[in-house]
Amino acid sequence: MANKVSKYFLGETTPMGFKTSFDEQIRSKNFYTYILKGGPGTGKSSLMKKIALEFSDIDDLDLYNCSSDPNSLDAVVLKGAKVAVVDGTSPHVFDANYPGVCQSIVNLGECWDKEKLQNYKTEIKQITDENATWHSRCKRYITAFASLNSDIYSIAKASINFEKLNGFIERISKKYLPKNNTGTGKLSFKKLSALTKNGYATMPIDFYDNIFVLNDAYFAGSDYFLQEFSDIAISRGYSVIASECALFSDSIYEHILIPELKLAFVSSNYINNLQIENSSKINFLRFYDKEKIVSKKNRLDFSKKAAIELKNEAISSLTNAKKIHDNLENYYINAINFDKINDITNMLISEISARY
């Protein structure tokens, strides 16, 4: 049987800045984490891709992509070896909790030719500041976007028919969550979806046998369902992976995965426009009081229309930031000693191999 590769995003820009749950992985005392430090163009993503390729035939992997640049890898977790390698530079700054025992800092900045960089210090500072400006602009759009989403959510929450929804949760839990005798399950957080320069993207989950798509234009019903279903699953002995959407004033549940049962529940709305083949569709409009929704229709329609415009502006800002970041990388790539990078990569591969 082929080894499994699961894909996530390391994090994303939110109204509170960059948010990630990968600290949870780094804090795990059962894993050893290599934290890569170094600026743009130091080969962090390429190094992790080589490690992933080296061990993909013998291990199950979790790959974490960058939301700003989905083609770039921000972390790789080798489950069998109990090893993680992660980019620990801004905006996802990580440090060692137990240096040398559970984590190591790998400084790729040692591979720079500093004299070459000094020759372009004016250009580098200018481009770095311009990149930061576009990311700040993106954050402002996302903050406004989140405010409108939260307004929609609050209206919807007040309109939920909880008796009907709770009855549905009870029935579907009885059908898909048999009692597991292994004890209480665990809850972990990983990002399946994120706002990227290519739009709002969701990682594939096609290796799950049962996938339910919760069609919910108003967020609140699906969030309530996912949280309640997660609690029931955990109480019955199943571990749950929850993916939150942080594009609200407060994060809400967007998707949940139960790997042991190969069971997935994912929400679909105007933010993610998610469509998955060979999935079961659940229309969440039936769990709202229609009269209450209709009475707020003008406000809901306005908020949705404005939110979509703000989302598009945030995506445009990320696109511009990525273009500028590419220019910045060129200066660093020309100043990197790739032989040293390769030596570090081979050293890490050798150390990881010894863990099998």
Side-chain angles (χ1 to χ4, degrees), residues 48 88 131 165 234 264 281 334 346:
M48 287 184 280
N131 178 263
L165 182 51
I234 291 166
K281 313 295 191 298
N334 291 329
N346 291 332

Side-chain angles (χ1 to χ4, degrees), residues 16-35:
M16 303 302 293
F18 188 85
K19 182 179 179 180
T20 178
S21 299
F22 200 79
D23 306 73
E24 176 185 325
Q25 173 67 55
I26 294 176
R27 287 195 301 269
S28 174
K29 296 179 182 180
N30 296 323
F31 273 75
Y32 195 92
T33 303
Y34 296 94
I35 302 171

Side-chain angles (χ1 to χ4, degrees), residues 260-274:
E260 185 178 350
L261 298 175
K262 294 187 176 180
L263 178 64
F265 289 89
V266 297
S267 63
S268 177
N269 48 61
Y270 72 81
I271 294 178
N272 59 35
N273 296 309
L274 191 58

Side-chain angles (χ1 to χ4, degrees), residues 40-42 111-113 116-117 120 327-338:
T42 49
C111 305
W112 283 326
D113 184 329
K116 285 186 178 180
L117 293 176
Y120 298 99
N327 293 334
L328 185 63
E329 277 194 335
N330 289 333
Y331 288 101
Y332 284 89
I333 289 171
N334 291 329
I336 282 289
N337 184 329
F338 284 100

